């Protein structure tokens, strides 16, 4: 990409989002695991489960603080770097963000403090309620953020007002129940649960390898294996639902993920591996699995998945319809809010208005879309194809790692049932080395979701190229360097604090009695 305002604004937001997303999945997943551990403590009265909750709670607290620090900047970026976006869709996008702050983040932040300082001041059941409220707050934060993001992927419950030149809410219930948002929520939250489970699994395996805190490690491994197996299976199932919804609402994204250059006869094959060549519009050395993509994408044997070439032709038709809508819009605006709008212009806008966003794709090449040449229209249609290779490989990295997590957690689940968690040191080493992998999968999933909708910031409504603020290149370069430096420092601080806490381990005095041999088994 050229070093222009749009590319740099995208790069800045991508960097801050990728950094922020390092902390969020672990926060979501650990909060629920803390609730599970403390529930066992309250039910059994065994202090080792309280000490487990406290120990993993310290790691949760470190991660939570860093997540807050890296997340605050992102909301300011909407006003600073994406001012036209904020003006155009702020009525819809701003509501979930405001509710997230008022309902979810304040709930989570308030009870986090009570979680850490209320152990000796609350009854066991009251503190348990506090822990679960932290978990609920963490998950509600994700819900509202993903409702906002889901609307960007599938803008429902809103309409464009020609007089204000803004999108306005017409059905907030439709925004809340957006199927894309709901699928993204359950998929992302399950991914967060998997991240936390693999993290706890790996740290606990390290303790077993070192022969330290053995009883705590075995119990933590058992919880992580069970929780992680359920979570990783859920990610696979819910990812399938996201793929199906993409075939309905984001056909271009699905075709790009699959590097499907031409429409294939139904049911389409799945490309397991290959090397997409966007310039040549072909995938070299492709290995196809018959019928699989058709079943995943359409859940049928007779429904086609359109290829990139056919979708590009469709985009060109929509751009031409959008030009007509843009021309009608100018006539409507010229009449003013109280003027008499020509019936013909009103009729054209009502019939073609949903394609207005496609006309705005031409703003990259010409100030007035009505003056665009046939070559510019054709080029704008080509621009609707996102970068295929990053999507293709990110998706396969995500899926491949997801299968590995199912295998890993499933193996340790079986070992926990057989009470042989420490029997295979090489498996414990695999679990330790696997700790970073769920973050790789989570970031790959984020790339698939967000890069896949380009060139749109709001799918089919607002192109990314017209959504940015009018900032200077120098300003953006300075802020990118500044954010990268600050966020890198925060990440290093996080890593050092986490590693220091893990090396130190839980407090020994309270665990001494709990680590005596117990005939009732690991979970007693």
């Amino acid at each position: 990409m050229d070093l222009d305002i749009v590319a740099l604004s995208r790069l800045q937001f991508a960097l801050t989002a990728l950094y922020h997303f390092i902390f969020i999945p672990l926060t979501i997943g650990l909060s629920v695991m803390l609730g599970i551990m403390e529930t066992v403590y309250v039910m059994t009265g065994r202090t080792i489960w309280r000490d487990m909750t406290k120990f993993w709670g310290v790691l949760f607290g470190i991660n939570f603080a860093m997540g807050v620090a890296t997340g605050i900047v992102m909301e300011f970026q909407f006003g600073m770097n994406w001012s036209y976006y904020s003006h155009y869709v702020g009525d819809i996008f701003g509501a979930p963000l405001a509710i997230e702050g008022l309902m979810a983040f304040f709930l989570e932040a308030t009870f986090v403090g009570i979680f850490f300082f209320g152990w000796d001041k609350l009854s066991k059941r009251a503190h348990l309620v506090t822990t679960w409220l932290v978990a609920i707050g963490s998950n509600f934060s994700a819900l509202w953020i993903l409702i906002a993001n889901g609307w960007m992927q599938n803008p429902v419950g809103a309409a464009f007002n020609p007089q204000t030149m803004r999108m306005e809410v017409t059905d907030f219930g439709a925004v809340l129940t957006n199927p894309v948002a709901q699928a993204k929520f359950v998929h992302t939250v399950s991914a967060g649960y998997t991240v936390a489970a693999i993290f706890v699994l790996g740290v606990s395996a390290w303790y077993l390898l070192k022969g330290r805190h053995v009883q705590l490690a075995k119990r933590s491994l058992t919880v992580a294996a069970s929780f992680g197996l359920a979570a990783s299976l859920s990610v696979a199932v819910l990812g399938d639902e996201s793929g199906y919804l993409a075939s309905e609402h984001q056909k271009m994204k699905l075709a790009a993920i699959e590097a499907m250059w031409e429409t294939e006869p139904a049911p389409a094959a799945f490309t397991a591996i290959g090397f997409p060549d966007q310039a040549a519009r072909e995938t070299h050395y492709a290995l196809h699995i018959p019928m699989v993509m058709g079943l995943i994408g359409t859940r049928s044997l007779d429904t086609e998945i359109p290829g990139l070439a056919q979708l590009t032709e469709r985009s060109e038709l929509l751009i031409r319809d959008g030009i007509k809508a843009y021309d009608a819009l100018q006539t409507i605006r010229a009449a003013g809010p109280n003027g008499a709008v020509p019936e013909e212009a009103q009729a054209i806008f009502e019939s073609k208005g949903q394609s207005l966003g496609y006309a705005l794709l031409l703003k990259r090449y010409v100030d007035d879309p009505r003056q665009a040449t046939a070559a510019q229209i054709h080029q704008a249609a080509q621009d609707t194809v996102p970068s295929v290779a990053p999507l293709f490989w990110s998706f396969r990295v995500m899926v491949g790692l997801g299968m590995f997590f199912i295998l890993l957690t499933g193996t340790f689940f079986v070992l926990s049932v057989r009470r042989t968690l420490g029997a295979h040191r090489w498996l414990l080493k695999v679990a330790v080395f696997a700790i970073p992998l769920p973050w790789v999968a989570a970031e790959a999933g984020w790339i698939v979701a967000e890069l896949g909708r380009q060139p749109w910031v709001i799918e089919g409504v607002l192109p990314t190229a017209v959504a940015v603020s009018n900032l200077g290149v120098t300003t953006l370069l300075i802020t990118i360097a500044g954010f990268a430096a600050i966020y890198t420092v925060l990440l290093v601080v996080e890593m050092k604090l986490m590693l220091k806490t893990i090396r130190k381990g839980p407090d020994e005095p309270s665990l001494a009695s709990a680590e005596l041999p117990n005939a009732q088994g690991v979970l007693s």
Side-chain angles (χ1 to χ4, degrees):
M1 293 185 294
D2 297 329
L3 287 180
D4 57 19
I5 294 173
V6 177
L8 290 173
S9 295
R10 286 180 61 195
L11 176 61
Q12 179 175 311
F13 198 89
L15 284 173
T16 53
L18 284 168
Y19 269 108
H20 181 57
F21 203 60
I22 291 172
F23 308 106
I24 299 308
L26 185 59
T27 296
I28 293 172
L30 268 184
S31 66
V32 176
M33 294 188 73
L34 293 177
I36 293 171
M37 292 175 184
E38 190 169 354
T39 298
V40 178
Y41 163 60
V42 172
M43 291 175 64
T44 65
R46 292 185 59 82
T47 57
I48 190 171
W49 288 94
R50 180 192 63 195
D51 293 313
M52 287 168 59
T53 307
K54 285 185 175 181
F55 171 66
W56 295 111
V58 172
L59 296 172
F60 165 82
I62 295 169
N63 195 74
F64 173 79
M66 293 301 176
V68 173
T70 56
I72 291 173
V73 173
M74 294 182 63
E75 296 196 14
F76 285 105
Q77 283 185 308
F78 291 120
M80 293 186 299
N81 295 68
W82 302 91
S83 59
Y84 190 71
Y85 165 85
S86 299
H87 164 80
Y88 203 81
V89 300
D91 285 1
I92 305 100
F93 189 81
L97 293 185
I99 295 172
E100 186 270 337
L102 294 171
M103 175 190 291
F105 177 72
F106 286 165
L107 172 71
E108 180 185 16
T110 299
F111 286 101
V112 161
I114 299 175
F115 170 82
F116 284 108
F117 299 108
W119 283 102
D120 299 323
K121 298 177 176 62
L122 300 174
S123 68
K124 289 196 292 186
R125 285 183 172 80
H127 194 277
L128 175 63
V129 171
T130 296
T131 304
W132 278 112
L133 286 173
V134 171
I136 291 169
S138 299
N139 284 263
F140 263 113
S141 286
L143 172 64
W144 291 105
I145 293 296
L146 291 168
I147 283 174
N149 184 268
W151 185 82
M152 296 168 70
Q153 312 279 344
N154 179 36
V156 297
F160 178 75
N161 186 327
Q163 297 301 334
T164 63
M165 293 293 290
R166 304 179 71 189
M167 296 291 291
E168 297 177 354
V169 178
T170 58
D171 184 354
F172 194 61
V175 176
L176 298 182
T177 58
N178 184 349
V180 172
Q182 301 304 321
K184 284 177 70 66
F185 168 67
V186 292
H187 183 60
T188 303
V189 166
S190 295
Y193 296 164
T194 303
V195 169
I198 300 298
F199 174 75
V200 173
L201 194 79
V203 174
S204 302
W206 184 77
Y207 282 141
L208 288 183
L209 287 169
K210 296 294 183 180
R212 298 173 55 195
H213 316 301
V214 173
Q215 295 304 315
L216 177 143
K218 286 184 175 181
R219 286 167 171 81
S220 297
L221 257 174
T222 299
V223 174
S226 306
F227 186 65
L229 178 59
S232 54
L233 287 171
S234 297
V235 171
V237 172
L238 298 168
D240 172 71
E241 178 66 18
S242 295
Y244 175 69
L245 289 171
S247 70
E248 292 187 340
H249 305 291
Q250 293 180 298
K251 298 181 186 296
M252 187 69 80
K253 177 191 287 188
L254 184 63
I257 289 171
E258 183 56 18
M260 187 178 293
W261 308 104
E262 302 287 342
T263 302
E264 299 178 10
F270 174 74
T271 305
I273 194 170
F275 298 90
D277 184 345
Q278 194 154 351
R281 294 294 177 106
E282 63 176 303
T283 303
H284 304 291
Y285 309 109
L287 175 63
H288 299 292
I289 303 176
M291 302 174 59
V292 172
M293 194 62 213
L295 292 172
I296 294 174
T298 67
R299 296 178 180 169
S300 71
L301 295 173
D302 56 2
T303 304
E304 288 184 338
I305 298 177
L308 293 168
Q310 287 67 38
L311 290 171
T312 304
E313 293 174 1
R314 175 178 173 272
S315 294
E316 187 162 341
L317 294 175
L318 291 172
I319 290 171
R320 295 185 182 279
D321 283 347
I323 293 173
K324 297 176 183 176
Y326 185 88
D327 182 62
L329 173 64
Q330 303 311 308
T331 302
I332 293 171
R333 286 181 55 77
N338 300 317
V341 178
E343 292 184 4
E344 182 181 2
Q346 187 66 43
I348 291 174
F349 189 78
E350 288 178 358
S351 63
K352 307 291 186 182
Q354 61 185 3
S355 302
L356 178 63
Y358 283 85
L360 299 180
L361 290 168
L362 293 165
K363 289 279 190 176
R364 184 176 178 183
Y365 304 104
V366 60
D367 290 335
D368 188 340
R370 294 172 295 184
Q371 305 302 318
T373 64
Q376 290 170 330
I377 293 173
H378 178 75
Q379 184 58 52
Q382 297 298 318
D383 292 343
T384 59
V385 180
S387 298
V388 174
L391 287 173
F392 182 89
W393 285 110
S394 295
F395 178 78
R396 279 147 186 81
V397 167
M398 176 184 67
V399 171
L401 288 174
M403 297 299 104
F404 169 72
F405 299 146
I406 293 173
L407 178 62
L408 182 66
T409 54
T411 300
F412 275 98
F413 177 76
V414 172
L415 292 176
S416 69
V417 171
R418 294 178 176 177
R419 309 295 173 86
T420 56
L421 283 171
H424 307 284
R425 290 182 63 84
W426 69 271
L427 277 175
L428 297 175
K429 292 179 181 179
V430 169
V432 173
F433 285 110
I435 290 175
L437 296 182
W439 276 276
V440 175
E443 298 287 5
W446 183 87
I447 291 171
V448 169
E450 302 308 306
L451 185 62
R453 73 160 180 262
Q454 292 303 317
W456 302 104
V457 66
I458 304 293
E459 182 76 31
V461 172
L462 184 65
T464 306
V466 301
V468 297
S469 304
N470 188 21
L471 299 174
V473 170
T474 302
T475 301
L476 286 167
L477 287 172
I478 292 172
T479 55
I480 288 171
F483 282 134
I486 294 170
Y487 278 37
T488 299
V489 169
L490 289 174
L491 181 60
V492 171
V493 170
E494 151 103 353
M495 295 292 290
K496 287 189 174 183
L497 289 174
M498 297 284 270
L499 289 172
K500 181 179 179 180
T501 303
I502 291 168
R503 289 193 183 103
K504 177 179 178 291
D507 294 332
E508 287 289 353
S510 60
L511 288 174
S513 61
E515 292 194 0
L516 293 173
N518 189 326
Q520 296 181 36
V522 171
L523 282 176
S524 60

